[in-house]
Amino acid sequence: MAAEEHRKLMLRYTTYMKTFPSQSPDRVVQQVSEGNDFATQGVVNYHDAQYAGRLVNAGLIDALLDHLQTPLEPVDEKDIPVMPTVWINALLNLCHKNNMPPDLLEPVRLKVVQRLGPLTAAMCDFDRRELFGAKDDWLAGLYLYIGLVSNLVLTPASKRILEEQGDIKGVLVRILYLDLYGDDLKKEIRKAQARGRTPPDYISNVQDIAACALQEFADVPRNPSNQGFDEPQKEELRTLANILVSPNSNVTLCSGLFELFHKASQKTLNGRGYASLHYIFRQINEAIEFEVFHVESTTLELVELWKIQLNSSRQVERDTPDSIYTSLVRLPSRSMACDTEVGYAVKTGLIELCLQSLAKSNVYVTEIDRLLSTVGVTVLQPKTFRAIKKKASLIREALHTFRGRVPQAQVDHVRGLLDKASLSTVPVTGLCRQMEACRWCLKTLDKDERKQCSSCRRASYCSKDCQVRDWRQGSHKIDCKQMKMNDVKHLDAGFSQKEAKRALKSEANLSMSGNVLFSNNIPKILLQASARGFNILECIIALDFRELKPTIEIMSRDEFLEGDEGLDELSPERVAHSKRILERNFSNGALTCICITFVGDGCEKLVKTFPKDAAPTSRFRISDDEPSWLVAQRDVELESGLDFNEIRSDPKAYASLLENLSHPS
């Protein structure tokens, strides 16, 4: 009999829906207001944005919300002609971007949220868990309410109002951790599923929607000048990170996040929710780093997670490699790789996983290239160097196992890392091995003739004359002071004495490395200036040691001062001193060079002077007054036999020449 009644009811509903679009909006709204089940179901199931807009203009939102102003009060079923969840479902339908004209969407969301307080209070009450006195209706309504919230938070104004109505972020976090810390609620859901009141995939779907909604709360604005977070935004993310997953637990959103990652990567969340979890991690990790995750290394945890994913049947999303990169780069807005985290990653198997992922699918080549390049940045810093040394045999084994399935470019990249790490048995912090040369005249030094600055004990010279000239004409006067200041800075930052010593050794080596790279590539440097149509004396030479292979770039003074490789990361005192060096060198016929590398977990920029005496001797000097470096530039142009005007007229040939000249011999 019940089945027959249900069949007749569905037949009547089908007949009603055929006439639904032709009914006047005022008539439909009146029916909804009276509690007509068919009319309310029609609002849920008829998806036409223009008609929905007419219904809203006729007062549909108020008609629906009038029913939801006392959702905690028990009532007889006969007094509620429709299931209460249908009203929530109707509001969800109206707040979705596909079901409402664009010009009405934001006003609709604002109108809904302004009268949503009673429903929010009911859905946030995890102790009572009732909707109109029924627990099953609360469970069914929770699913739809979270869907409604995920739409409302897309409008900033409605998101703010929603936060004022109840602990909505706390509700979302509790739902995310439902599988891990919500046993009592899970039992109720299982019972409701047995009675057919909630769908079989209820938990995974509601967690997926909750993760997407919570992502909007983690999407706080960055400072446009440096793409970092200001203190109010950091505090907002810190508050989000420390929300408890349940009242009876001391686990927070972030302290339990890696447990949730492992659970989600197996089966719990869909791709959209899993991506939202990673977005939340990256935002919080960039803003407040490691203080809220309660793990030894976020990188280690993420690499282990990636390992599990690659060895499972689950499709690996790009979110895990992206999050690993965020964890490797401790200061993301300045792209500074952290030797400690890269070392952890390599030791845990990052390079082998990159190869395995590429062998499985070439979809994520860009993400994996970025990871390998980050390893290349710190390959000769202590922890990364030692990790690659220890893992070399396993990395070579992976290259052999996955041969033919990994693109050759990435194979060459990995082999380059192995080659770089095999150059020396003793790692030297910084991207060049220690090379003893006079800081001023570039002369190679024997140990017995090396003279060291007695103040910083890191700058070496061949004679007292070179030391004095570097102090008066070069940049050591300011560098010496900075190096001594860094002694204190590194220790204050938590470096051990040993780590501080290594970091400072890198700063000393940067100058010598720049000397060697410059002296070995003078012809290329001069030719690059000519190719760009620059007078070499009016250029800045950037020697960049941050990549696996150093690069040389010639820039005009304006390009240098305005570009990313300028002086923006130096102290005001060093900026002023460096600008004085630029002006003085130009008037003295000397060249100005900036050496750039990573030092510890920061970036070091060192402005150097190459005096006119360091220019190659010319047999074709026109006059004694002619600047030595201009003579050298002219000589190199003549010897090359290149017609730069003709080359510049061919964009492809011009780009190829500059690419060749930017890589040292």
Side-chain angles (χ1 to χ4, degrees):
M1 184 67 182
E4 179 63 22
E5 287 181 2
H6 180 71
R7 188 187 67 79
K8 290 180 179 178
L9 185 66
M10 291 306 298
L11 184 62
R12 287 169 51 206
Y13 175 68
T14 303
T15 304
Y16 175 84
M17 285 304 295
K18 289 179 180 178
T19 63
F20 182 77
S22 61
Q23 294 191 47
S24 73
D26 290 332
R27 173 63 179 154
V28 172
V29 170
Q30 179 64 32
Q31 290 174 339
V32 170
S33 182
E34 293 169 354
N36 184 294
D37 188 16
F38 287 174
T40 311
Q41 291 284 2
V43 173
V44 172
N45 296 318
Y46 186 70
H47 301 291
D48 181 276
Q50 297 304 317
Y51 188 65
R54 291 164 58 199
L55 289 173
V56 166
N57 289 331
L60 177 61
I61 292 174
D62 282 328
L64 290 167
L65 287 168
D66 284 343
H67 293 298
L68 293 168
Q69 295 307 297
T70 55
L72 282 177
E73 299 302 319
V75 293
D76 291 334
E77 288 190 10
K78 62 182 181 181
D79 293 331
I80 302 182
V82 301
M83 292 174 62
T85 53
V86 179
W87 294 321
I88 306 174
N89 204 355
L91 291 172
L92 167 60
N93 186 57
L94 295 173
C95 290
H96 195 282
K97 64 178 182 179
N98 293 338
N99 301 328
M100 188 60 54
D103 60 319
L104 282 179
L105 183 60
E106 191 165 323
V108 163
R109 287 174 176 169
L110 280 171
K111 189 174 182 62
V112 168
V113 78
Q114 283 167 355
R115 294 188 63 199
L116 204 63
L119 180 63
T120 297
M123 302 317 299
C124 289
D125 192 344
F126 271 66
D127 294 326
R128 189 170 178 180
R129 297 179 198 158
E130 290 183 358
L131 190 64
F132 292 108
K135 289 188 177 294
D136 280 358
D137 284 341
W138 186 88
L139 288 174
L142 180 65
Y143 181 91
L144 297 168
Y145 174 75
I146 297 302
L148 175 60
V149 166
S150 70
N151 282 281
L152 293 175
V153 295
L154 296 175
T155 299
S158 59
K159 181 170 76 171
R160 287 193 296 271
I161 296 172
L162 197 60
E163 284 187 271
E164 295 169 359
Q165 292 176 350
D167 184 20
I168 189 63
K169 287 186 280 190
V171 170
L172 296 174
V173 170
R174 288 189 71 169
I175 291 170
L176 268 181
Y177 282 88
L178 187 59
D179 242 5
L180 296 171
Y181 297 96
D183 289 342
D184 57 336
L185 182 55
K186 270 200 302 185
K187 288 178 184 177
E188 288 190 17
I189 293 170
R190 301 299 184 211
K191 291 177 183 177
Q193 286 172 334
R195 295 193 298 272
R197 294 301 305 270
T198 56
D201 54 358
Y202 176 95
I203 292 178
S204 61
N205 283 346
V206 76
Q207 286 178 321
D208 192 58
I209 299 168
C212 295
L214 202 60
Q215 175 181 335
E216 295 303 317
F217 288 104
D219 189 22
V220 300
R222 294 170 181 262
N223 186 321
S225 64
N226 60 13
Q227 288 303 300
F229 295 99
D230 294 331
E231 197 53 44
Q233 284 70 44
K234 286 184 180 181
E235 187 57 36
E236 189 175 341
L237 288 170
R238 190 177 286 110
T239 301
L240 179 65
N242 289 312
I243 293 175
L244 293 174
V245 302
S246 76
N248 302 320
S249 170
N250 59 359
V251 178
T252 65
L253 168 63
C254 279
S255 68
L257 194 58
F258 288 102
E259 187 180 7
L260 189 61
F261 272 141
H262 283 286
K263 186 78 175 175
S265 67
Q266 296 167 21
K267 60 179 181 179
T268 310
L269 289 181
N270 298 323
R272 188 178 59 163
Y274 189 70
S276 294
L277 272 189
H278 274 281
Y279 180 85
I280 294 167
F281 163 78
R282 288 194 293 270
Q283 285 286 98
I284 294 173
N285 187 50
E286 289 183 30
I288 50 182
E289 297 184 7
F290 309 109
E291 62 184 81
V292 294
F293 293 105
H294 299 183
V295 294
E296 180 185 9
S297 164
T298 55
T299 306
L300 189 150
E301 297 286 342
L302 288 166
V303 173
E304 289 288 1
L305 174 65
W306 198 23
K307 190 182 298 182
I308 292 170
Q309 291 173 340
L310 284 171
N311 292 321
S312 71
S313 58
R314 181 185 173 105
Q315 175 66 35
V316 178
E317 291 86 1
R318 62 173 37 90
D319 302 286
T320 307
D322 278 349
S323 292
I324 292 172
Y325 173 76
T326 303
S327 194
L328 294 178
V329 182
R330 182 169 288 183
L331 301 174
S333 62
R334 292 163 66 192
S335 299
M336 294 179 181
C338 170
D339 178 38
T340 301
E341 294 301 316
V342 176
Y344 271 131
V346 173
K347 192 185 299 183
T348 314
L350 176 66
I351 297 176
E352 300 97 293
L353 292 175
C354 286
L355 294 171
Q356 183 181 347
S357 178
L358 288 169
K360 193 173 183 179
S361 170
N362 286 341
V363 175
Y364 310 123
V365 171
T366 302
E367 289 77 11
I368 289 171
D369 260 345
R370 188 163 65 159
L371 287 176
L372 293 175
S373 294
T374 305
V375 176
V377 165
T378 62
V379 67
L380 286 186
Q381 293 187 20
K383 290 181 173 62
T384 307
F385 181 92
R386 282 194 288 269
I388 293 178
K389 278 281 189 184
K390 289 179 180 178
K391 300 285 288 187
S393 60
L394 291 175
I395 294 170
R396 290 191 178 93
E397 185 180 324
L399 283 169
H400 178 75
T401 301
F402 301 121
R403 68 186 185 280
R405 290 189 281 162
V406 177
Q408 190 60 41
Q410 283 69 45
V411 170
D412 292 342
H413 205 151
V414 172
R415 285 175 177 162
L417 292 172
L418 291 170
D419 291 344
K420 197 78 174 175
S422 66
L423 290 176
S424 171
T425 57
V426 181
V428 176
T429 308
L431 289 182
C432 283
R433 288 178 295 162
Q434 185 169 4
M435 306 181 77
E436 296 291 353
C438 176
R439 182 182 161 102
W440 181 253
C441 72
L442 314 184
K443 176 184 175 182
T444 303
L445 302 175
D446 295 328
K447 285 187 178 180
D448 56 355
E449 66 173 336
R450 181 167 60 92
K451 293 175 175 55
Q452 203 171 48
C453 173
S454 61
S455 180
C456 68
R457 296 190 177 279
R458 289 190 280 279
S460 300
Y461 301 95
C462 66
S463 66
K464 185 72 173 176
D465 180 57
C466 282
Q467 182 178 3
V468 171
R469 293 176 72 182
D470 190 24
W471 186 267
R472 292 177 178 173
Q473 302 175 40
S475 58
H476 188 57
K477 184 174 182 178
I478 193 72
D479 293 333
C480 184
K481 180 179 178 181
Q482 185 65 34
M483 286 177 180
K484 288 192 294 182
M485 288 170 58
N486 283 349
D487 289 340
V488 177
K489 182 185 75 174
H490 288 305
L491 292 174
D492 287 347
F495 282 47
S496 67
Q497 290 281 359
K498 193 174 182 181
E499 289 172 328
K501 186 176 179 181
R502 283 180 179 147
L504 297 172
K505 192 175 185 181
S506 176
E507 294 170 357
N509 290 343
L510 179 59
S511 179
M512 290 184 287
S513 301
N515 286 352
V516 174
L517 185 64
F518 177 87
S519 60
N520 288 342
N521 292 276
I522 288 175
K524 280 195 168 185
I525 290 169
L526 298 175
L527 276 178
Q528 192 181 151
S530 297
R532 295 200 63 190
F534 292 160
N535 174 336
I536 189 62
L537 294 177
E538 298 177 354
C539 298
I540 307 297
I541 305 157
L543 305 179
D544 194 339
F545 294 95
R546 290 175 296 181
E547 296 298 331
L548 191 59
K549 295 180 180 179
T551 58
I552 302 169
E553 183 180 1
I554 304 297
M555 297 177 284
S556 68
R557 285 192 289 179
D558 289 341
E559 287 176 330
F560 169 71
L561 292 172
E562 296 172 6
D564 293 336
E565 310 306 350
L567 305 170
D568 55 297
E569 291 169 0
L570 302 183
S571 66
E573 184 183 14
R574 292 187 74 187
V575 169
H577 179 76
S578 299
K579 288 182 177 179
R580 287 197 298 272
I581 291 175
L582 296 181
E583 296 303 324
R584 186 203 61 211
N585 287 351
F586 178 67
S587 60
N588 290 347
L591 297 189
T592 304
C593 177
I594 183 165
C595 303
I596 311 166
T597 192
F598 290 107
V599 176
D601 295 330
C603 191
E604 176 68 11
K605 294 183 177 182
L606 179 65
V607 177
K608 290 179 60 64
T609 294
F610 289 98
K612 57 185 178 182
D613 299 347
T617 305
S618 173
R619 295 173 295 166
F620 308 104
R621 184 179 291 276
I622 297 174
S623 73
D624 292 338
D625 295 332
E626 193 173 13
S628 301
W629 283 111
L630 282 181
V631 173
Q633 183 179 10
R634 185 192 62 218
D635 289 351
V636 168
E637 280 187 47
L638 292 172
E639 290 173 9
S640 71
L642 297 173
D643 185 340
F644 291 112
N645 289 326
E646 182 180 339
I647 291 173
R648 281 194 288 269
S649 66
D650 183 344
K652 186 177 289 188
Y654 181 55
S656 176
L657 176 64
L658 290 180
E659 174 71 16
N660 177 264
L661 294 175
S662 68
H663 291 93
S665 304

